[in-house]
Amino acid sequence: MSEEILEFCDDCGKEFNVNDLSEDGVHFLCKDCFIPLCKQCENPLDKNTDFCSHDCYKKYWAEIIGDEYK
């Protein structure tokens, strides 16, 4: 029998099983409160992707690759 781990949504304050929450790097958020953000410009996304545009995708990876050579 596995234990259910409960955690509060940091936005609405309701209690959920931790497996039902998303983490934005700092906060636990329920599916109603979680809004995915573009990894580059942090604009809200309306679909299940990491970037809002191809330009943000290119800029993100250019910065990552550039940091490796510093």
Side-chain angles (χ1 to χ4, degrees), residues 6-11 13-16 21 27-30:
L6 300 176
E7 185 67 51
F8 290 96
C9 172
D10 288 329
D11 195 27
K14 295 178 185 173
E15 192 172 38
F16 294 90
L21 297 171
H27 303 100
F28 286 108
L29 300 168
C30 69

Side-chain angles (χ1 to χ4, degrees), residues 10-25:
D10 288 329
D11 195 27
C12 70
K14 295 178 185 173
E15 192 172 38
F16 294 90
N17 182 313
V18 75
N19 295 328
D20 296 332
L21 297 171
S22 295
E23 191 173 2
D24 69 357

Side-chain angles (χ1 to χ4, degrees), residues 7-59:
E7 185 67 51
F8 290 96
C9 172
D10 288 329
D11 195 27
C12 70
K14 295 178 185 173
E15 192 172 38
F16 294 90
N17 182 313
V18 75
N19 295 328
D20 296 332
L21 297 171
S22 295
E23 191 173 2
D24 69 357
V26 178
H27 303 100
F28 286 108
L29 300 168
C30 69
K31 67 179 180 178
D32 293 332
C33 295
F34 179 73
I35 299 172
L37 301 176
C38 175
K39 285 186 172 184
Q40 176 62 27
C41 69
E42 297 187 354
N43 282 332
L45 299 170
D46 59 355
K47 52 189 173 192
N48 192 16
T49 63
D50 290 332
F51 302 96
C52 64
S53 68
H54 189 66
D55 286 339
C56 279
Y57 172 84
K58 291 190 316 187
K59 288 177 187 175

